[in-house]
Amino acid sequence: MSHRLVTLNQFVVEGQKDFPCSEGKLTRLLSDIGAAAKVITREVRKAGLVDIIGSHGTTNIQGEDVQKLDIYANQTLISFLRSGGECAVIASEEDDDIIVVEDAYDFTDPKYVVTMDPLDGSSNIDVNASIGTIFSIYKRVSKQGKASREDALQKGSEQVAAGYVIYGSSTMLVLTTGNGVNGFTLDPSIGEFCLSHPNIKMSPEGFIFSVNEQNYHSFDKGVKKFIDYCKDEDADSKRPYRARYIGSLVADFHRNLLKGGIFMYPSTEGAPKGKLRLVYECNPIAFIAEQAGGRATNGTVRVLDIKPTELHQRVPFAVGSENLMDQLNTHLMAWG
Ligand code: AHG
Ligand code: MN
Ligand code: MN
């Protein structure tokens, strides 16, 4: 029997029946994000041929050198979210404060909040390694008037959807709306994201560990002991551990989602609160991980239970397969 082609939009519309009160607003919002991802893909695929790589010559609130593709991805996503009319407010890695989508209020009653990292793994753009876009979607909690910062500072457990796009050997959009995780690969010949990885599950037994060992010297003792455990060949010969680190959260996580494994960005001397941002990197990835059977903590508590206080706040981050998250926890409990 030929494999039925299911596009992202068809899949989300068919999924609407799981939400009896659905009015198609989330469907429209997801379709806007999918469309933006196609436009960003077009520029990513030309990177190196057109003046879209390299530094923009500015630094963002993170104090990081902004890449041209960071700006392009941010502007593209904001433009699609503005025109879609379903988004009340945006919190982006590339903008100091929230962006209230003013014009949406003129013609609709926008209900949704989008937090996003428009271009993740920017340091990989110039070397043609995989990069990504990460997003979370919440229902606004503010009742009247325009959306506020509080709408973007909800606990990750309140997400109604989360996803990422990985611009790799192919462009793939991985999405959860709270009923499992599904992967859609962009078919450039028809310009559609097509269901390619239905019902993704993260193996409860992973053997890949992904961490920037440059920071080993400043990790907490328990983290060091866990890394030593992964590298100790004698500990348990049937453990064929492998170290992999791409330096792009989306790519490092995506590999572990499909093959099992753990990704860690612990607190370091240079980043005492961790490097990754809770609101638009850790929460969406944590939601996807849990929906696929994995776990995500900041070393002590579940990431989705952390109440954000700042838009750009950083947290230590560990996400992955059950066996490895258990092992990490055992070492942290023993050594702190
Ligand atoms: P961004 O490009 O959005 O700033 O994110 C980069 C992050 C993340 O993608 C990756 O896991 C991490 O930075 C890599 O940090 P190091 O280079 O310090 O390992
Ligand atoms: Mn990022
Ligand atoms: Mn980024």
Side-chain angles (χ1 to χ4, degrees):
M1 185 187 72
S2 70
H3 174 69
R4 180 167 85 93
L5 183 148
V6 177
T7 67
L8 171 64
N9 288 355
Q10 287 171 323
F11 184 88
V12 175
V13 167
E14 283 166 17
Q16 267 184 221
K17 58 180 175 306
D18 299 334
F19 300 90
C21 54
S22 167
E23 304 155 38
K25 291 176 174 294
L26 180 61
T27 301
R28 170 61 200 258
L29 183 53
L30 289 170
S31 141
D32 293 335
I33 292 172
K38 293 179 199 172
V39 171
I40 296 167
T41 295
R42 184 186 59 196
E43 288 311 298
V44 166
R45 298 294 171 223
K46 290 191 295 193
L49 296 172
V50 296
D51 182 21
I52 193 71
I53 59 176
S55 170
H56 185 252
T58 55
T59 52
N60 61 17
I61 189 171
Q62 327 284 341
E64 292 163 347
D65 181 29
V66 177
Q67 300 298 304
K68 290 175 189 154
L69 210 47
D70 284 320
I71 299 286
Y72 182 83
N74 195 42
Q75 288 172 344
T76 302
L77 279 155
I78 291 170
S79 156
F80 277 90
L81 291 171
R82 275 194 204 286
S83 57
E86 300 307 341
C87 180
V89 64
I90 302 166
S92 167
E93 178 191 37
E94 299 305 328
D95 290 276
D96 300 0
D97 204 349
I98 56 170
I99 301 164
V100 176
V101 188
E102 299 290 349
D103 22 15
Y105 298 79
D106 298 340
F107 58 97
T108 66
D109 170 21
K111 297 216 179 327
Y112 290 104
V113 179
V114 173
T115 70
M116 63 187 193
D117 176 358
L119 210 292
D120 173 67
S122 309
S123 61
N124 283 328
I125 295 169
D126 294 5
V127 296
N128 208 6
S130 296
I131 50 182
T133 295
I134 314 172
F135 62 90
S136 282
I137 299 175
Y138 298 82
K139 274 266 176 83
R140 63 178 285 194
V141 287
S142 52
K143 291 295 172 240
Q144 65 274 340
K146 303 281 169 62
S148 67
R149 191 170 305 124
E150 268 320 296
D151 287 307
L153 292 175
Q154 299 179 54
K155 278 186 185 180
S157 52
E158 298 304 309
Q159 291 173 90
V160 295
Y164 60 81
V165 183
I166 178 166
Y167 309 100
S169 39
S170 65
T171 293
M172 192 166 151
L173 190 149
V174 174
L175 175 71
T176 183
T177 55
N179 288 316
V181 179
N182 292 282
F184 302 83
T185 299
L186 182 62
D187 178 343
S189 69
I190 58 172
E192 290 286 0
F193 281 105
C194 302
L195 182 63
S196 54
H197 295 65
N199 194 25
I200 300 175
K201 288 296 173 203
M202 182 182 250
S203 167
E205 284 249 301
F207 297 101
I208 294 173
F209 68 99
S210 185
V211 64
N212 183 344
E213 290 201 58
Q214 162 64 28
N215 303 314
Y216 179 90
H217 66 284
S218 68
F219 288 155
D220 293 338
K221 195 159 186 187
V223 175
K224 286 182 180 175
K225 290 286 186 183
F226 171 68
I227 293 171
D228 298 346
Y229 164 81
C230 291
K231 296 166 84 169
D232 177 358
E233 277 312 303
D234 302 332
D236 174 348
S237 57
K238 72 175 176 25
R239 287 184 298 110
Y241 280 115
R242 280 172 292 144
R244 292 283 185 277
Y245 195 73
I246 302 166
S248 169
L249 170 62
V250 169
D252 280 316
F253 175 73
H254 185 67
R255 177 201 54 242
N256 292 351
L257 177 68
L258 298 186
K259 295 182 180 288
I262 187 169
F263 170 87
M264 294 178 287
Y265 207 108
S267 57
T268 67
E269 220 161 34
K273 293 198 175 108
K275 174 180 181 180
L276 299 177
R277 279 59 56 123
L278 172 60
V279 170
Y280 40 78
E281 288 176 314
C282 302
N283 270 335
I285 295 295
F287 187 24
I288 292 164
E290 289 197 0
Q291 283 288 312
R295 294 217 306 270
T297 73
N298 67 353
T300 44
V301 299
R302 181 178 176 242
V303 164
L304 297 185
D305 290 338
I306 301 173
K307 172 70 176 73
T309 51
E310 298 292 330
L311 284 181
H312 302 284
Q313 87 182 67
R314 300 170 192 265
V315 291
F317 190 48
V319 57
S321 298
E322 278 197 356
N323 68 316
L324 292 167
M325 292 298 286
D326 284 344
Q327 277 299 341
L328 171 63
N329 195 44
T330 302
H331 288 84
L332 288 172
M333 301 291 276
W335 302 95

